[in-house]
Amino acid sequence: MNRNVETLQSVYAAFGRGDIPAILATMSPDIVFEPDTIDHGIPWIMPGRGIDHVTRFFGAVAGLQFDVFAPEAFLADDQNHVAVLIRHDARVSATGKRFAGVEIHYWTFDDAGQIVALKHFVDTKQHYEASH
């Protein structure tokens, strides 16, 4: 199995346990979050860089109540990229509104196996409306 896929399987397992330090340990200190993305005003989909930014991301995600968060497919290439298809159904605690469906997490690794970038492909309209 691809080592980057194995890393991501451990990342999603750690997410399920709430083990954020284990997730952060897989990331480069200079990780780029949401590369080539504009700020849509969605607290958990904010462009930024570095572990502090990722920590703020997890703070925003803590405001979500997931009924479903299921990685369903891991698609790896030989260029250090992995796309993960995620099925989700969540409620935003602050608004009580739900969002559900499928999204893709597009991960980039360096040659040493550290995560250097993550981009979410989501229904931004649905996420925005749920967050406001």
Side-chain angles (χ1 to χ4, degrees):
M1 178 181 294
N2 180 294
R3 77 173 176 169
N4 296 334
V5 169
E6 289 175 349
T7 296
L8 291 176
Q9 288 173 332
S10 74
V11 163
Y12 290 113
F15 180 74
R17 296 188 308 272
D19 187 355
I20 304 310
I23 297 169
L24 296 176
T26 66
M27 297 180 173
S28 164
D30 295 322
I31 184 170
V32 178
F33 224 65
E34 307 305 337
D36 304 316
T37 300
I38 62 169
D39 181 352
H40 292 285
I42 303 165
W44 51 89
I45 308 289
M46 300 291 283
R49 179 182 292 273
I51 295 297
D52 288 343
H53 181 79
V54 176
T55 301
R56 288 189 297 276
F57 161 79
F58 282 115
V61 169
L64 305 176
Q65 304 299 315
F66 286 96
D67 288 331
V68 175
F69 185 89
E72 293 188 345
F74 293 78
L75 309 166
D77 67 11
D78 59 356
Q79 308 260 319
N80 287 331
H81 299 102
V82 180
V84 183
L85 180 72
I86 307 286
R87 185 161 307 282
H88 64 276
D89 185 347
R91 182 177 54 80
V92 180
S93 298
T95 65
K97 297 177 184 175
R98 299 193 80 77
F99 62 93
V102 175
E103 62 187 62
I104 295 172
H105 297 173
Y106 186 71
W107 302 85
T108 304
F109 290 79
D110 65 15
D111 289 337
Q114 275 196 312
I115 298 167
V116 295
L118 170 61
K119 182 173 178 85
H120 294 83
F121 290 89
V122 302
D123 179 343
T124 52
K125 183 177 189 299
Q126 187 181 174
H127 282 244
Y128 178 84
E129 288 177 351
S131 67
H132 289 82

